[in-house]
Amino acid sequence: MEKFYLTTAIDYVNGVPHIGHAYEKIVSDIIVRHFKQRCEDVYFLTGTDEHGIKIQKTAAEKGITPKQMCDEHAAKFKEAWTALNVDYGQFIRTTDEAHKKTVQKIFKKLLEQGDIYKHSYTGLYCSGCEGFLNPKDLTEDGFCPVHLKKPEEVSEENYFFRLTKYKDAIAKHIKENPSFIVPAFRATEVLNQLENIEDISVSRAKANVSWGIDVLGDSEQVIYVWIDALSNYITALGYDTENPSEKFKKYWSVSRHVIGKDILKFHSIYWSGILLALGLPLPHQLFVHGFININQAKMSKSTGNVISPVDILKTWELEIPDAFRYYMATAAALGRDGNYSDEDFKEKVNADLANNMGNLLNRTLSMLVKYFDGEIKPEFKTDCELFETAKETIEKVKKHFDNYEIQEAGNEIISLVNLTNKYVADNAPWTLAKEEKLTECGQVLANVLEIMCVVSVLIYPYCPNIAREMARQLKFDINIKLDDLTINNIRSGKLIEKDEIKPVFLRLDSEFAIKGEK
Ligand code: MSP
């Protein structure tokens, strides 16, 4: 695999980032960082979705213009991603001029070729979904099943996209490409939804929604959010209806969209239809994640349990986001819902990062200083069974990442750490030292340090700061590609001085704040 293009959903800016938005961006960043360890060329896109009635209404309530609110909130999203070390290559805003121009051209092309037509319509509009709902999909009480709000009856003349024309082609693509939608159980859900699909509204009357991209040649209509929002994945690459850019040609065929389960229909059905109408290939893959709940409850403004990821860092006085990233990444199994609770967060990162991983390195380096003045003697270089396990772990981690199983990959890494702790306990280097079996003692320590080099590379996508600090103490270049990673990274000679040894992660209840480079 040489190239890799990953996108996240673009977040609505009618509010500030919450832990659910953060979950998706962290998971995406971890996947991207892992694939940077394997591929030559990785591109990572995120951004904000800034048009539509929700944003228009919220801005009006605040007494500011939609653009002012978008600017303020988009800045908050960027700040949060910086604080969480989400290292995107591009941040697109749907209010960017270049994006708006291309969306207008896409709309015009589809209109001219007859895939978009004008039609009077009465439908049930949910502003939470920014979409018309099919009466069949409502709850018994007539509520939107996702937002649990009564949709509004809207009668308008709108432009419609001829989605039904592409229904069979979309179903065929999903059936013929079992890995198009991950996890696979979601594909079944989409095939069921396809059965009842109708043509979709892709514009709104300006009289009702003014905050949107103008339809060229029709001053009464604005392009309705989904055609605008979904196109970001290609407008960001400089796609143009007449002349697709080099960047588009380079990355589109390797595109992967990371999205939440609530927007699967839009990505698998609407977006596929639009792409087919444009004569473009469908994205390579959709990875559909679950939702993060708070203390087992659905997060919602009305419950008042919405948490900001930046507040979590502040509460725990975390100067580096690694612990939170690690927790988020391991909070949910592939595609399933996960949970955040303060108690669980503290327990999990204290156990895995401080007690098991951090202490192991710290104790081993301290013994190396105590018994050998920090020196690895040539006769310490040896082999142990654990090396085979470490090699297997590298392969298992890669395989998990190929399937977006980042919780499972994280568990493999921690399980290698736990086996290494067991190796130390079983071989008791402190006893070997006492018995003056110094070569054996040194061998145990050197073996552990070898494994820690591997651990630092594997944990890097989750905890970049901690991993870099581990590698610094191990005098090891962490920027190694995964394919070149061997179990022979510790060089003979002086490795470390006593005062260079620092805990890589302090327990969350320790009295010290966690310090580190950003
Ligand atoms: N703007 C649309 C997406 C357009 S993509 C072309 C949107 N925005 S959103 O702000 O509501 O959601 C952004 C992403 O965050 C979505 O993938 C959504 O599923 C995800 N999440 C929102 N709440 C979430 C949780 N509680 N947990 C995990 N992710 C959730 O939808």
Side-chain angles (χ1 to χ4, degrees):
M1 207 188 303
E2 282 170 16
K3 291 179 297 173
F4 189 94
Y5 172 41
L6 186 135
T7 68
T8 69
I10 49 173
D11 303 313
Y12 286 130
V13 287
N14 57 320
V16 293
H18 58 57
I19 199 173
H21 299 128
Y23 172 71
E24 178 176 281
K25 301 330 175 254
I26 289 172
V27 162
S28 300
D29 184 69
I30 292 172
I31 297 170
V32 164
R33 283 179 192 262
H34 171 87
F35 280 98
K36 279 191 180 160
Q37 295 179 317
R38 290 168 66 183
C39 306
E40 286 309 317
D41 192 352
V42 178
Y43 201 63
F44 179 17
L45 173 74
T46 190
T48 41
D49 190 356
E50 307 194 358
H51 294 122
I53 188 70
K54 258 199 294 202
I55 288 159
Q56 185 182 323
K57 273 188 187 161
T58 316
E61 280 158 23
K62 290 181 166 223
I64 53 176
T65 66
K67 181 70 172 100
Q68 272 173 322
M69 193 184 75
C70 290
D71 288 347
E72 270 173 35
H73 287 181
K76 294 269 183 224
F77 277 88
K78 282 189 175 177
E79 274 166 32
W81 305 158
T82 303
L84 296 174
N85 241 333
V86 174
D87 189 17
Y88 52 80
Q90 184 179 349
F91 191 99
I92 190 168
R93 298 179 55 186
T94 55
T95 48
D96 291 342
E97 285 308 317
H99 170 80
K100 291 200 296 191
K101 280 210 174 80
T102 312
V103 169
Q104 286 180 319
K105 281 187 173 180
I106 289 173
F107 196 95
K108 185 163 172 266
K109 180 178 159 72
L110 298 179
L111 186 65
E112 283 171 359
Q113 71 190 36
D115 276 311
I116 285 181
Y117 60 93
K118 225 170 179 183
H119 172 59
S120 281
Y121 180 72
T122 299
L124 297 169
Y125 194 82
C126 169
S127 64
C129 298
E130 288 285 13
F132 286 96
L133 301 181
N134 191 324
K136 279 185 241 153
D137 295 334
L138 302 182
T139 63
E140 277 178 14
D141 308 328
F143 289 177
C144 160
V146 178
H147 297 95
L148 303 177
K149 278 198 307 200
K150 213 174 181 72
E152 199 186 327
E153 191 171 288
V154 172
S155 280
E156 274 182 16
E157 184 172 51
N158 291 154
Y159 286 98
F160 275 71
F161 173 65
R162 238 177 257 289
L163 184 57
T164 44
K165 179 172 156 192
Y166 298 99
K167 178 178 160 178
D168 293 344
I170 299 169
K172 185 165 179 274
H173 185 84
I174 295 173
K175 286 180 193 152
E176 286 177 0
N177 296 278
S179 61
F180 176 51
I181 301 174
V182 180
F185 71 86
R186 295 274 176 211
T188 319
E189 198 179 296
V190 173
L191 288 170
N192 288 337
Q193 282 171 333
L194 254 178
E195 296 287 315
N196 304 320
I197 215 74
E198 290 171 2
D199 288 351
I200 51 165
S201 158
V202 287
S203 76
R204 293 294 312 267
K206 234 184 192 172
N208 295 331
V209 184
S210 56
W211 183 237
I213 303 176
D214 288 340
V215 173
L216 287 178
D218 186 339
S219 57
E220 302 293 309
Q221 296 272 320
V222 294
I223 298 170
Y224 144 71
V225 289
W226 282 101
I227 211 168
D228 164 7
L230 291 161
S231 300
N232 93 88
Y233 302 131
I234 57 176
T235 65
L237 297 179
Y239 168 79
D240 186 282
T241 44
E242 285 129 45
N243 184 20
S245 66
E246 284 310 308
K247 208 166 167 186
F248 174 78
K249 288 188 215 154
K250 184 169 162 191
Y251 291 120
W252 184 244
S253 60
V254 291
S255 54
R256 293 149 193 265
H257 299 323
V258 176
I259 53 167
K261 61 182 184 180
D262 57 327
I263 54 173
L264 173 60
K265 179 169 86 182
F266 305 110
H267 283 78
S268 57
I269 304 181
Y270 295 14
W271 184 220
S272 295
I274 295 167
L275 288 166
L276 289 169
L278 290 172
L280 296 176
L282 301 195
H284 173 65
Q285 221 163 29
L286 305 178
F287 168 49
V288 191
H289 62 78
F291 264 39
I292 293 296
N293 297 321
I294 307 288
N295 298 320
Q296 309 298 345
K298 192 175 158 149
M299 190 169 45
S300 84
K301 274 191 192 153
S302 47
T303 318
N305 63 349
V306 178
I307 305 188
S308 138
V310 178
D311 285 350
I312 294 182
L313 299 187
K314 281 192 195 139
T315 307
W316 294 99
E317 299 185 340
L318 292 166
E319 286 189 9
I320 56 168
D322 294 37
F324 181 61
R325 289 170 60 98
Y326 174 76
Y327 180 78
M328 284 280 95
T330 49
L334 174 78
R336 302 283 174 185
D337 290 350
N339 188 55
Y340 175 88
S341 80
D342 283 338
E343 203 41 44
D344 196 34
F345 173 50
K346 187 171 97 177
E347 262 178 37
K348 173 92 177 148
V349 302
N350 279 352
D352 292 355
L353 302 183
N355 297 355
N356 295 344
M357 191 175 78
N359 269 355
L360 176 59
L361 179 66
N362 199 264
R363 281 194 302 148
T364 311
L365 287 174
S366 300
M367 283 190 272
L368 190 74
V369 166
K370 184 169 173 194
Y371 304 133
F372 306 104
D373 197 24
E375 198 180 328
I376 302 279
K377 309 224 188 272
E379 63 271 24
F380 294 174
K381 304 281 275 171
T382 180
D383 238 328
C384 70
E385 260 177 46
L386 213 49
F387 287 6
E388 278 316 303
T389 315
K391 283 183 202 153
E392 281 163 24
T393 305
I394 299 172
E395 293 313 310
K396 283 185 192 163
V397 166
K398 280 179 166 168
K399 221 169 171 184
H400 283 308
F401 268 93
D402 286 340
N403 297 324
Y404 305 94
E405 291 160 349
I406 67 164
Q407 181 198 52
E408 295 78 351
N411 292 344
E412 286 296 343
I413 304 167
I414 294 302
S415 136
L416 175 63
V417 168
N418 291 342
L419 286 172
T420 312
N421 270 311
K422 183 170 181 308
Y423 170 78
V424 175
D426 291 349
N427 289 283
W430 49 89
T431 310
L432 294 172
K434 222 186 254 168
E435 291 169 355
E436 298 201 351
K437 294 179 180 159
L438 288 179
T439 302
E440 283 171 48
C441 168
Q443 283 172 346
V444 172
L445 300 182
N447 286 343
V448 172
L449 297 176
E450 282 294 352
I451 302 288
M452 293 319 276
C453 290
V454 173
V455 168
S456 71
V457 179
L458 296 180
I459 205 77
Y460 168 81
Y462 301 78
C463 304
N465 293 281
I466 293 178
R468 266 190 235 115
E469 180 56 28
M470 288 169 74
R472 189 190 66 76
Q473 297 186 37
L474 290 160
K475 307 292 182 302
F476 162 64
D477 179 10
I478 200 169
N479 299 315
I480 191 166
K481 289 271 178 211
L482 267 190
D483 284 343
D484 299 330
L485 183 60
T486 56
I487 323 269
N488 188 16
N489 298 295
I490 296 290
R491 52 162 208 252
S492 298
K494 183 87 165 180
L495 185 72
I496 198 155
E497 300 283 353
K498 187 170 184 201
D499 58 8
E500 281 180 85
I501 303 177
K502 273 203 319 197
V504 292
F505 179 71
L506 289 166
R507 290 174 58 88
L508 284 191
D509 46 9
S510 92
E511 55 189 295
F512 308 102
I514 288 101
K515 311 272 183 213
E517 46 158 336
K518 272 259 162 72

